[in-house]
């Protein structure tokens, strides 16, 4: 038979790489099994972590998910040292979980939840090494791990609840993704998510069983009300776990891999101890696996030199070639071969150790490299964040610059439009000047034409025809002038007409020249002159047409310029209006933001004032609340609260002034207002609590001062919530009632006892000795009464008397043991606290505490004496059973006072203090037995007195009924009067005992529950002022120290 080969390092690395990959498929069991066998082979997880650290887990969420799965299996089934190796890599696991928790990736969210579960698992098993990582322990180991201390059981239960929460949170996350992704358990993607739930089911079954056991054990030690939170949390986990098991059992994937147990329909009833026997431990069964087809693997490691099995192979070849050696004798050569084999084995072992050490160093170096890379990555993240912030700042700066450029561009456009308008106006003025020049030139041409006409008239004066022609020419010239001004075309037509007329006239002149031979020469000259004039006229008409064309061109250019100018002016006005609109919008937005800031600041102030008003109204309402009458406080604490409230008034005034100066900042006023409201409310509540134990006159004045303080503060808060009344608010008005409360608190401080501090030490010892002597005397007297009762009584009375006296004897013995334990604790306190000082100096330094001890010891001794006297009267049929009940309660209260006085300065880990508390509980039990014995004896004696109604008529019965009703009313009136007297007596007793003082120099007296006598319904006679009415059968061992009002110590 050949044994299974161990898993060497390279094959383990191959298994890790095959088990942890980025394929969305479940981890194969054979790869995980090899990794687990490797941890048992090397007795740790060095190789696993050396390869796991190098995996690119941040790059793939599926890779990280499968890494967590393999790590979970290694923790559960690997070598026990794996847990300590994983502890060194907690930071790596946490970083992977935090990385994927910040990313929106489906597997990443699962990785975040899984890493939290792994960290919780590592922490739990390191803290509790009794529980292996597989959580498989017996009930005896669980009992040993829980121990007998209730605090340890309580803490262990809470830790297991946290462990179970992490397991259930992972299962819920996986099922939530399966539901949303509509996945089936037979798909590789669904199986990849469901595969780790097998380990979760195994863990949850054990955790459920252990929590049930621990919850039953807690309920056997603690009251049910104390464990209500535990029960609620267990019920919630039970329903989640039952739903998880039900859903998992319905999936085909789990049916062939694991047998899931079924939980009961309802959670166990922890209030019933017998329900533990009905609990059945859930058992998870993993079926036998079918043999998987192993992948062919080389068993010889070529790269690492000759393997360990090489000598055996060489020996086999030697035997096959030469046959086995003859007989059992070995020659020297065989011995040398065996020695060489052993040396080779030793060398290989040393080589393996060296390799392991080198791998350990490599893993450590890789861990350091990873930590440095993590720090580098963190620095890169910070750098990236800084770059992003810088880019945002640059973007904002670019936006600001763009706004500035846009405003400057708008300003430039406006200036350019103004320049264009001025240039257009200058061009228009130039065109206007040019137009005037053209008009002047035209006028000069007209003047020249007129001069020419005049010359023509002078030339034709010699002849009448020439004159007529000249007149006609002048008329035509005048007509040409008028037409030239209107239209150039008409002028051209008129000029052609004139030419035709001139030609006609020329013909007429030619006929006339024949008749007028003398004037021929002058006529020829005249014709030549006329030709010259016509040529000049043509030239003038052409010049005029050119001038008119230039004028029309200039007018069209002027119109175009005017249109362009008007358009530019219109565009400039539009841009100016748009810019003005934007400017107005910006101003309105700024005004709106400013107003919004003011509104938000005032809203914040108003909200703070409203909250403060609610706090103060609640504090003022407590002054009239009957439930508040049971609360008390000390004048010293009231003075400290009033002084603190007075200090806040100055800050409130300063904040109010700053807010009026700058309405955009109300932070200082809100902060001052918040602190003032809490301190003022605390002062009012403690003032009312202090008044409950003060004399009537100072109490009424203190309550009035508290009411005035509340009214002033509420008036101030109402003004702060109104915008109109806010400037008129005067926070300083609250200072006067607070000063009044402070003064009354100083007046109510108790006066010291009229005992010199040098005598306190002697008084403590004297009173403790006197108390012990009184108790011893009480025990002797009870024994004497017991003997006397046995001789003088018989039957039921003897039984009742013996039961009462036996309970009194047990009570006296318990009180004697408590006094002795208190004396030992007192000596321990004095020895540990006095240092180099003497005992008298320690008592003088802690006078309040010393006075409390003296008062408590006196009360115990006096109570024991009164109990003996009451028992003597009851046995002799001269007393009442109620006296025994009241004395028992008084003794319980006095012993509680003595315990509390000793506990003030005792070390909480002191064994004497533990014994003293145990003695106090014993005294309470014995006092309850005395009360029960007294009541049962009273019932036995009084049950024999029955009323005889035989022979009584209806009228007589009615008459007795009326008499009994009158008697009942009288007794009720008497009871009310006696209760009033009891309240006054207790009040005066508290004043004389110094209840209104502080407990000690070191402790600050907080408000404690105590009723104000005479102001509400009084408690029964058997009840002390600080506790609610209770039945006598409720006074048992669960109560611990019997509640009582503590005296001044």
């Amino acid at each position: 038979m050949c044994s299974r080969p161990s898993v060497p390092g390279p094959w383990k690395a191959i298994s890790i790489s095959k088990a942890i990959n980025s394929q969305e498929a479940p981890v194969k069991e054979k790869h995980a099994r090899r990794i687990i066998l490797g941890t048992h082979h090397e007795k740790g997880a060095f190789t696993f972590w050396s390869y796991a650290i190098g995996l690119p887990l941040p790059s793939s969420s599926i890779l990280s998910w499968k890494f967590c799965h393999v790590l979970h299996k290694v923790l559960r089934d690997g070598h026990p040292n794996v847990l300590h190796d994983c502890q060194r890599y907690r930071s790596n696991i946490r970083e992977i979980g935090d990385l994927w928790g910040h990313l929106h990736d489906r597997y990443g969210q699962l990785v975040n939840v899984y890493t939290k579960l792994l960290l919780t698992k590592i922490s739990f098993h390191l803290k509790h090494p009794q529980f292996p990582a597989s959580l498989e322990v017996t009930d005896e180991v669980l009992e040993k791990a829980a121990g007998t201390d209730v605090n340890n059981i309580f803490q262990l239960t809470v830790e297991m609840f946290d462990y179970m929460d992490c397991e259930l949170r992972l299962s819920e996350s996986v099922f939530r993704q399966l539901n949303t992704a509509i996945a089936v358990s037979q798909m590789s993607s669904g199986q990849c998510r469901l595969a780790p739930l097998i380990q979760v089911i195994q863990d949850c079954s054990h955790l459920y069983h252990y929590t049930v056991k621990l919850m039953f054990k807690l309920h056997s030690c603690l009251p049910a009300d104390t464990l209500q939170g535990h029960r609620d949390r267990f019920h919630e986990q039970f329903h989640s776990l039952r739903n998880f098991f039900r859903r998992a059992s319905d999936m085909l994937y789990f049916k062939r891999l694991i047998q899931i147990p079924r939980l009961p329909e309802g959670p166990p009833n922890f209030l019933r101890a017998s329900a533990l026997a009905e609990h059945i431990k859930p058992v998870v069964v993993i079926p036998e696996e079918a043999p998987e087809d192993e992948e062919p693997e080389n068993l010889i490691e070529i790269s690492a030199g000759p393997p360990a099995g090489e000598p055996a192979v060489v020996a086999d070849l030697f035997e096959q070639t030469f046959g086995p050696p003859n007989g059992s004798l070995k020659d020297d050569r065989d011995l040398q071969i065996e020695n060489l084999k052993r040396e080779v084995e030793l060398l290989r072992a040393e080589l393996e150790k060296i390799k392991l050490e080198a791998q350990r160093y490599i893993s450590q170096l890789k861990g350091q490299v990873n930590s440095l890379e993590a720090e580098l990555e963190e620095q890169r993240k910070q750098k990236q964040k800084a770059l992003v912030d810088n880019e945002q700042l640059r973007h904002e700066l670019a936006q600001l610059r763009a706004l500035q450029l846009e405003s400057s561009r708008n300003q430039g456009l406006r200036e350019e439009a103004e320049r264009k308008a001025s240039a257009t106006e200058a061009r228009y003025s130039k065109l206007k000047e040019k137009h005037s020049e053209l008009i002047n030139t035209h006028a000069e041409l007209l003047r020249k034409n007129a001069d020419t006409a005049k010359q023509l008239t002078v030339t034709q004066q010699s002849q009448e025809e020439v004159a007529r022609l000249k007149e006609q020419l002048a008329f035509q010239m005048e007509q040409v002038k008028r037409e030239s001004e209107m239209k150039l075309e008409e002028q051209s037509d008129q000029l052609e007409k004139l030419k035709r007329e001139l030609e006609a006239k020329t013909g007429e002149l030619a006929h006339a020249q024949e008749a007028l031979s003398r004037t021929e020469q002058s006529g020829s000259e005249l014709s030549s002159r006329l030709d010259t004039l016509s040529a000049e006229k043509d030239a003038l008409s052409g010049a005029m047409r050119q001038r008119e064309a230039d004028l029309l061109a200039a007018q069209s250019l002027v119109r175009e310029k005017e249109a362009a100018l008007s358009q530019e002016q219109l565009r400039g006005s539009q841009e100016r209006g748009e810019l003005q609109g934007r400017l107005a919008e910006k101003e309105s937005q700024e005004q709106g933001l400013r107003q919004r800031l003011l509104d938000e600041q005032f809203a914040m102030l108003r909200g703070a004032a409203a909250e403060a008003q609610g706090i103060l109204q609640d504090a003022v309402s407590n002054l009239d609340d009957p439930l508040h009458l049971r609360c008390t406080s000390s004048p010293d604490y009231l003075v400290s609260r009033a002084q603190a409230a007075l200090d806040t008034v100055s800050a409130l005034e300063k904040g109010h002034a700053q807010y009026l100066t700058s309405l955009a900042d109300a932070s200082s006023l809100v902060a001052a207002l918040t602190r003032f409201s809490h301190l003022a409310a605390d002062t009012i509540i403690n003032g009312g609590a202090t008044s409950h134990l003060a004399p009537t006159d100072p109490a009424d004045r203190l309550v009035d001062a508290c009411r005035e303080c509340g009214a002033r503060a509420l008036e101030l808060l109402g003004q702060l919530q109104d915008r109109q009344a806010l400037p008129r608010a005067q926070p300083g008005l609250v200072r006067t009632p607070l000063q009044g409360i402070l003064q009354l608190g100083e007046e109510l401080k108790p006066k010291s006892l009229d005992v010199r501090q040098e005598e306190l030490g002697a008084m403590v010892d004297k009173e403790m000795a006197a108390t012990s002597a009184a108790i011893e005397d009480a025990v002797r007297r009870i024994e004497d009464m017991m003997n006397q009762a046995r001789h003088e009584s018989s039957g039921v009375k003897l039984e009742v008397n013996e039961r009462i006296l036996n309970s009194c004897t047990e009570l006296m013995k318990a009180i004697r043991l408590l006094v002795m334990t208190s004396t030992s604790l007192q000596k321990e306190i004095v020895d540990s606290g006095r240092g180099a000082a003497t005992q008298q100096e320690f008592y003088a330094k802690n006078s309040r505490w010393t006075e409390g001890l003296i008062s408590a010891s006196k009360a115990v001794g006096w109570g024991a004496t009164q109990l003996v006297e009451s028992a003597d009267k009851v046995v002799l049929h001269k007393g009442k059973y109620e006296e025994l009940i009241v004395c028992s309660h008084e003794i319980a209260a006095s012993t509680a006072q003595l315990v509390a006085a000793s506990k003030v300065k005792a070390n909480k880990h002191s064994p004497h203090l533990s014994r003293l508390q145990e003695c106090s509980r014993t005294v309470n039990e014995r006092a309850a037995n005395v009360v029960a014995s007294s009541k049962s004896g009273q019932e036995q004696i009084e049950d024999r007195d029955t009323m005889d109604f035989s022979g009584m008529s209806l009228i007589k019965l009615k008459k007795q009924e009326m008499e009994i009703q009158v008697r009942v009313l009288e007794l009720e009136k008497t009871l009310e009067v006696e209760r009033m007297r009891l309240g006054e007596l207790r009040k005066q007793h508290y004043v004389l005992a110094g209840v209104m003082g502080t407990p000690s120099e070191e402790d600050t007296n907080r408000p404690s529950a105590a009723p104000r006598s005479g102001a509400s319904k009084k408690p029964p006679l058997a009840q002390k002022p600080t506790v609610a009415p209770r039945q006598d059968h409720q006074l048992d061992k669960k109560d611990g120290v019997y509640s009582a009002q503590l005296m001044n110590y």
Side-chain angles (χ1 to χ4, degrees), residues 28 49 100 148 196 278 282 289 294 357 364 413 641 674 796 865 926 934 981 989 1042:
K28 289 188 178 182
W49 277 109
W100 287 110
T148 57
E278 302 172 1
E289 298 177 358
E294 295 281 338
E357 191 70 24
Q364 292 177 359
L413 290 175
R641 295 294 87 193
T674 304
V796 176
T865 304
R926 300 296 183 268
S934 301
R981 292 182 60 194
H989 172 68
Y1042 186 81

Side-chain angles (χ1 to χ4, degrees), residues 111 223 449 612 1014:
V111 171
N449 194 8

Side-chain angles (χ1 to χ4, degrees), residues 139 205-213 216 234 238 263-264 266-270 272-282:
D139 293 341
S205 63
H206 294 295
L207 289 174
Y208 168 76
H209 175 65
Y210 300 153
T211 52
V212 170
K213 289 282 189 179
F216 275 107
F234 178 84
F238 174 82
L263 297 182
N269 186 8
F270 299 111
R272 186 167 56 89
S274 60
L276 179 60
E278 302 172 1
H279 169 67
I280 300 175
K281 179 179 179 181

Side-chain angles (χ1 to χ4, degrees), residues 83 93 160 194 220 226 269 325 366 423 469 504 538 555-556 590 616 628 830 846 850 856 997:
L83 192 65
I93 302 173
M160 285 195 174
L194 291 174
S220 65
T226 307
N269 186 8
K366 285 185 178 179
L469 290 173
D538 293 336
Q555 289 178 353
S556 64
E590 183 179 359
L616 287 171
H628 189 256
V830 173
N846 301 274
T850 306

Side-chain angles (χ1 to χ4, degrees), residues 84 220 244 330 481 595 678 701 736 765 826 942:
H84 299 280
S220 65
F244 168 43
K330 296 181 180 179
K481 291 178 182 177
Q595 185 63 34
H678 284 85
R701 286 191 286 119
T736 302
D765 298 336
Q826 173 190 347
E942 292 179 354

Side-chain angles (χ1 to χ4, degrees), residues 465 507-517 519:
E465 294 179 359
E508 291 178 358
L509 286 175
H511 292 296
Q513 284 178 358
E514 292 177 357
L516 299 172
S517 55
T519 60

Side-chain angles (χ1 to χ4, degrees), residues 5-280:
S6 60
V7 183
W11 303 122
K12 189 174 180 181
I14 295 172
S15 300
I16 293 172
S17 61
K18 289 184 178 180
I20 306 175
N21 52 45
S22 58
Q23 296 179 1
E24 195 173 8
V27 178
K28 289 188 178 182
E29 190 64 24
K30 60 182 179 181
H31 301 316
R33 191 188 306 113
R34 287 174 183 168
I35 297 172
I36 293 170
L37 289 175
T39 61
H40 287 280
H41 175 71
E42 66 180 3
K43 295 181 176 55
F46 307 109
T47 307
F48 172 77
W49 277 109
S50 64
Y51 286 96
I53 288 176
L55 293 174
L57 299 180
S59 63
S60 175
S61 57
I62 299 177
L63 193 68
S64 301
W65 172 252
K66 299 178 79 171
F67 163 74
C68 294
H69 182 195
V70 173
L71 181 59
H72 196 175
K73 293 177 74 68
V74 169
L75 283 172
R76 277 189 55 84
D77 303 327
H79 194 272
N81 293 336
V82 171
L83 192 65
H84 299 280
D85 295 337
C86 294
Q87 172 66 15
R88 292 194 288 269
Y89 297 91
R90 285 177 58 91
S91 59
N92 300 77
I93 302 173
R94 185 182 294 107
E95 287 173 2
I96 292 298
D98 294 341
L99 172 65
W100 287 110
H102 294 302
L103 301 177
H104 298 286
D105 185 85
R106 301 180 63 82
Y107 273 99
Q109 300 301 322
L110 295 179
V111 171
N112 184 22
V113 179
Y114 210 166
T115 53
K116 292 180 181 178
L117 168 60
L118 294 175
L119 293 174
T120 304
K121 186 178 185 70
I122 294 171
S123 302
F124 178 83
H125 293 291
L126 285 175
K127 186 176 181 180
H128 303 284
Q130 303 91 343
F131 295 90
S134 61
L135 287 171
E136 294 181 359
V137 295
T138 61
D139 293 341
E140 291 77 12
V141 177
L142 177 63
E143 292 287 335
K144 184 177 179 181
T148 57
D149 190 358
V150 179
N151 295 325
N152 295 338
I153 302 173
F154 192 96
Q155 183 63 28
L156 181 60
T157 308
V158 172
E159 291 175 0
M160 285 195 174
F161 280 153
D162 296 338
Y163 199 168
M164 178 74 83
D165 281 338
C166 294
E167 302 276 359
L168 294 176
R169 196 176 299 116
L170 177 61
S171 64
E172 290 171 0
S173 302
V174 171
F175 282 129
R176 191 182 305 114
Q177 289 201 8
L178 287 178
N179 291 337
T180 56
I182 318 178
V184 184
S185 62
Q186 295 302 314
M187 298 174 62
S188 61
S189 60
Q191 292 178 1
C192 185
R193 291 181 172 90
L194 291 174
L197 296 188
I198 296 176
Q199 285 72 41
V200 175
I201 293 171
Q202 291 175 328
D203 291 344
C204 289
S205 63
H206 294 295
L207 289 174
Y208 168 76
H209 175 65
Y210 300 153
T211 52
V212 170
K213 289 282 189 179
L214 292 176
M215 286 291 290
F216 275 107
K217 191 168 185 179
L218 280 176
H219 279 78
S220 65
C221 301
L222 295 176
D225 295 338
T226 307
L227 299 173
Q228 182 63 41
H230 274 48
R231 288 198 299 275
D232 295 340
R233 191 172 182 186
F234 178 84
H235 291 167
E236 181 180 358
Q237 290 186 354
F238 174 82
H239 294 298
S240 300
L241 182 61
R242 188 172 182 274
N243 187 26
F244 168 43
F245 280 3
R246 179 182 56 80
R247 295 181 63 181
S249 60
D250 294 337
M251 292 186 174
L252 296 176
Y253 175 73
F254 291 107
K255 288 184 178 180
R256 65 182 181 84
L257 295 176
I258 186 171
Q259 182 179 347
I260 302 174
R262 288 190 175 274
L263 297 182
E265 293 295 328
N269 186 8
F270 299 111
L271 301 180
R272 186 167 56 89
S274 60
L276 179 60
E278 302 172 1
H279 169 67
I280 300 175

Side-chain angles (χ1 to χ4, degrees), residues 1001-1015:
E1001 292 79 354
E1002 295 84 359
D1003 301 330
T1004 303
N1005 187 10
R1006 293 286 180 180
S1008 60
R1012 182 182 176 185
S1013 302

